[in-house]
Amino acid sequence: MRQLGTWSARVGVGFLRACAVVAVSMLIPAVWAAAVALGIRWGPGNPWSWLAPVVLVGVGTLALSRPVCRAVRHLVARWTGTVIPAGYREAPPVTRMSTGYWWNGFGYERTRRDALMDQKWRIRWNDPADRRDLRFTAVVPLTAGLVACLPPAGLAAAVLGLGTGRYGAPGRLAGALGLLVAVAVAPYAWRALPPVAVRFLRPSSAMALAERVEELTAQRADATIAQAAEIRRIERDLHDGAQARLVGLGLSLATAEKLMETDPERARALMREARAGATASLTELRELVRGINPPVLSDRGLVDALRALALDSPLDVTVDADLRHRPDPPVESALYFAVAELLSNAVKHAGATRVRITLARGDTNIVIEVLDDGRGGAHARDGGGGLAGLRRRLAAFDGTLEIISPAGGPTRATLEVPCASS
Amino acid sequence: MRIVVAEDLYLLRDGMVRLIEAYGHEVVATAATGPETLRTLLEWKPDVAVVDVRMPPSHTDEGLRAAIAARAELPGLPVLILSQYVEQLYARELLADGSGGIGYFLKDSVFDADQFIDALERVAAGGTAMDPAVIARLLAGGPSNRRLEKLTEREHSVLGLMAEGLSNQVIAQRLFLSESAIGKYTTSLFGKLGIVDDGTNNRRVLAVLAYLNKD
């Protein structure tokens, strides 16, 4: 009895699902059919009668293909749990390059408005996903659509043959057959859709390539913006700091020279002031240069620079390093600043007392692990700002940053940068 | 004293030579590259050498390495390292052989000529002279920090000045205290940290530095 219940439920659900498949897969063929009907109705007498149906077919197909495919993806995900990535091209950020031109992912334009317009149209007409969707809408009515038509068609035959009784004995026979087929096929008919969808709605290799290009473009834009900002910061620091101080120094010295004869006491005070100014501007320059390129890093390379960093840290930091060759300076620098940031996070946010930095070099990569015994929950603390910035900086070298930071700690950050061993 | 000056920038080398000569010492030779520094040091065996860290040909830590190499040949050869930066890592390497006669200063320290020459004389006598910036980092950094929690604030500042290589007399002047008071502080802080005080200033300073450098 219970079996009968579950079986009838499956028939019912299957029947509804088959109807849904028919609705989405036959939508575009229905538009075509409507266009043909329109053409026939206007008749051959009118020489322009072909125009409206053709326009209807073209516009209808183009406009409906994406919604149909979205609906199919949604249904497949809901019924089977298989998520098919859509892979539609997303508009990359329009960024201003250091040359002053705007890059929109396809080309350079003089103004932001032009770049946005150009991008919009290119994405609309050049998305490989559109061609894939059109192919799918052509394939699906002839495959999954046809199979899914069986239960509704069988039911229709039963209603016409048995219900109305207009077609006599052959009609009744066909109706009974139809009902039998509909009931037998109902639980399975819709199952033709997922394989077809998976086969034809996947992002193609061209789309994967396009995605990679987009990713690289975004990285390049990030890198140029970060670099420009950095240069501006350095320029500003020099201008407002050391340069201004040196001007003051020259003034003090000039005044002191003048006062040498008349007021030696004041002259001496001015000299002292000048000396203090020179010390202060040196301190400023030192900090600035340290932020650009730490001296130990350029003297000795990454491992010793990390050791120096460990010595300067207020925490108990141990460094385990196995690195036979120095990586390229840009990679070294990125890794150094990433570790420095993680260390300062461990001090500021995690309340850690011990940190362990492990550095290992594989055949194709460098892996650095920073482990602290702090309170964890790094993502919640950080709000994504600092860590996202780190990820972006490492991404320029195809590097990754993984952080495992359960609440209550410990936090384990793993940096990995691919790097050919020389 | 007979002094060697190793510095690649002519302007600074010349200024340094003039300053040293103004205080009545003799500059016997100068050097402008790493290898040249090593050669000059071994050849002249000066009373003290003033060496810049970053020098040609590689513009990395050539000077530092030349100084360490020269001291390996001539143990205890007094060297005062001058640099635009002080790095704890380098300070450790210089102090590693434990034989004293080492100074490590920021280049700005020459602005206070009296103190600079004083440090130079201390190093020549086999003492140590460390830039306050090095010591500040030593006292603030890492594991030694927790071991120093036992000290009173006054003992802490005495320890810092002692680590710079200053004698009790100078520390007393800096802190406006009597020399005997400084003596009391040093005794109590040595007791707390478990450092053996054998009376001679140089060895005492080295003991303090070794303690601070301990992991």
Side-chain angles (χ1 to χ4, degrees):
Chain A
M1 191 68 221
R2 177 129 45 92
Q3 272 183 341
L4 192 72
T6 54
W7 178 78
S8 60
R10 280 178 62 199
V11 169
V13 168
F15 185 79
L16 289 176
R17 285 184 180 184
C19 290
V21 172
V22 171
V24 292
S25 61
M26 294 303 176
L27 187 61
I28 287 174
V31 170
W32 286 61
V36 170
L38 197 69
I40 289 168
R41 223 188 102 216
W42 278 8
N46 181 349
W48 294 103
S49 62
W50 56 270
L51 192 63
V54 166
V55 169
L56 181 65
V57 162
V59 171
T61 309
L62 285 178
L64 286 174
S65 68
R66 201 172 271 207
V68 162
C69 292
R70 285 220 166 101
V72 167
R73 271 190 217 97
H74 174 77
L75 291 180
V76 169
R78 206 171 138 179
W79 293 341
T80 65
T82 310
V83 176
I84 305 169
Y88 293 119
R89 185 174 283 188
E90 286 178 21
V94 171
T95 48
R96 189 172 190 150
M97 292 298 179
S98 48
T99 53
Y101 276 73
W102 294 84
W103 169 257
N104 61 10
F106 301 97
Y108 296 96
E109 299 290 334
R110 229 174 233 294
T111 67
R112 190 189 152 92
R113 208 173 127 257
D114 287 354
L116 281 170
M117 283 291 284
D118 176 71
Q119 185 191 57
K120 197 173 111 179
W121 286 106
R122 280 182 195 249
I123 284 181
R124 195 69 203 92
W125 296 113
N126 262 340
D127 194 346
D130 282 337
R131 289 190 279 287
R132 176 204 59 187
D133 284 357
L134 284 174
R135 202 174 55 220
F136 176 77
T137 52
V139 167
V140 81
L142 303 174
T143 52
L146 273 184
V147 176
C149 277
L150 280 175
L155 189 71
V159 168
L160 288 175
L162 296 172
T164 60
R166 247 189 303 179
Y167 304 99
R172 271 197 290 279
L173 184 68
L177 258 177
L179 188 64
L180 195 68
V181 167
V183 169
V185 174
Y188 312 105
W190 63 271
R191 290 175 194 272
L193 182 68
V196 175
V198 168
R199 168 71 186 76
F200 287 97
L201 274 184
R202 268 194 318 236
S204 65
S205 62
M207 285 159 66
L209 198 61
E211 210 162 289
R212 175 70 179 145
V213 170
E214 256 163 51
E215 197 181 308
L216 289 174
T217 307
Q219 278 173 20
R220 189 181 61 170
D222 275 342
T224 55
I225 288 168
Q227 193 185 22
E230 191 69 357
I231 287 171
R232 267 200 305 278
R233 184 183 65 84
I234 292 166
E235 189 269 339
R236 215 180 18 244
D237 280 356
L238 283 173
H239 181 272
D240 299 348
Q243 273 179 336
R245 278 188 198 281
L246 286 174
V247 173
L249 194 73
L251 278 173
S252 300
L253 287 174
T255 319
E257 194 180 13
K258 185 86 192 119
L259 292 174
M260 220 46 146
E261 308 299 321
T262 52
D263 189 352
E265 202 42 53
R266 260 192 70 196
R268 196 166 295 130
L270 278 169
M271 295 277 218
R272 266 201 300 276
E273 216 172 279
R275 209 172 65 188
T279 307
S281 57
L282 272 173
T283 308
E284 254 169 35
L285 280 172
R286 211 167 270 137
E287 286 310 309
L288 182 66
V289 173
R290 216 180 257 288
I292 299 168
N293 195 10
V296 183
L297 186 64
S298 43
D299 287 355
R300 300 277 186 89
L302 187 59
V303 175
D304 270 353
L306 291 181
R307 290 207 171 105
L309 200 60
L311 287 174
D312 286 341
S313 169
L315 308 179
D316 186 357
V317 184
T318 49
V319 180
D320 282 338
D322 161 39
L323 199 62
R324 288 173 299 284
H325 314 284
R326 281 181 67 167
D328 291 339
V331 176
E332 262 190 343
S333 172
L335 287 172
Y336 173 88
F337 283 112
V339 174
E341 173 110 2
L342 290 168
L343 262 185
S344 79
N345 280 351
V347 177
K348 275 195 302 220
H349 307 299
T353 53
R354 303 176 66 87
V355 179
R356 185 183 187 83
I357 301 173
T358 324
L359 194 150
R361 176 154 199 172
D363 290 336
T364 55
N365 62 357
I366 291 180
V367 182
I368 301 182
E369 191 179 79
V370 180
L371 181 67
D372 75 52
D373 63 350
R375 70 173 74 96
H379 294 283
R381 276 197 324 257
D382 184 80
L387 293 180
L390 271 187
R391 284 207 174 88
R392 266 206 305 277
R393 253 180 296 171
L394 287 169
F397 305 97
D398 273 333
T400 53
L401 166 66
E402 255 185 88
I403 294 195
I404 302 169
S405 183
T411 299
R412 181 187 298 270
T414 311
L415 301 144
E416 191 176 334
V417 173
C419 154
S421 58
S422 41
Chain B
M1 294 192 292
R2 296 161 58 257
I3 298 175
V4 165
V5 174
E7 160 70 60
D8 54 322
L9 297 173
Y10 172 76
L11 204 64
L12 287 179
R13 192 169 63 230
D14 190 54
M16 204 99 68
V17 170
R18 271 191 292 171
L19 180 73
I20 289 167
E21 285 174 345
Y23 277 80
H25 297 297
E26 182 197 0
V27 176
V28 289
T30 58
T33 68
E36 200 185 335
T37 303
L38 182 57
R39 260 204 320 277
T40 314
L41 288 179
L42 295 179
E43 185 183 338
W44 288 89
K45 300 188 179 68
D47 296 328
V48 62
V50 181
V51 181
D52 179 23
V53 170
R54 207 173 267 194
M55 279 206 253
S58 66
H59 283 285
T60 59
D61 54 349
E62 292 261 354
L64 181 80
R65 278 182 281 144
I68 290 174
R71 279 169 61 90
E73 289 278 324
L74 304 168
L77 175 79
V79 175
L80 178 67
I81 298 282
L82 276 186
S83 168
Q84 286 286 16
Y85 304 90
V86 292
E87 290 289 346
Q88 267 199 70
L89 191 75
Y90 296 172
R92 280 184 180 216
E93 287 169 10
L94 287 164
L95 293 165
D97 62 6
S99 57
I102 279 292
Y104 187 21
F105 272 96
L106 280 174
K107 281 195 175 160
D108 345 354
S109 67
V110 299
F111 291 175
D112 191 336
D114 284 346
Q115 273 198 41
F116 172 67
I117 296 294
D118 178 61
L120 205 54
E121 287 165 354
R122 267 209 320 271
V123 171
T128 46
M130 289 285 150
D131 196 284
V134 183
I135 301 306
R137 287 192 161 186
L138 264 184
L139 292 177
S144 68
N145 204 1
R146 278 196 300 285
R147 296 201 301 262
L148 299 178
E149 279 169 5
K150 303 176 266 199
L151 303 184
T152 64
E153 204 172 318
R154 182 70 77 178
E155 285 167 348
H156 203 277
S157 48
V158 170
L159 179 72
L161 291 168
M162 201 188 319
E164 283 178 35
L166 302 172
S167 64
N168 279 5
Q169 189 190 345
V170 181
I171 296 174
Q173 284 168 10
R174 292 262 184 110
L175 296 177
F176 306 108
L177 294 165
S178 69
E179 229 178 300
S180 60
I182 301 296
K184 281 202 197 79
Y185 285 127
T186 52
T187 312
S188 78
L189 74 88
F190 280 166
K192 283 182 185 176
L193 302 180
I195 300 175
V196 180
D197 181 6
D198 67 351
T200 60
N201 191 43
N202 290 353
R203 254 187 281 174
R204 192 179 69 168
V205 172
L206 285 174
V208 168
L209 287 170
Y211 176 83
L212 290 177
N213 271 325
K214 202 163 59 181
D215 277 322

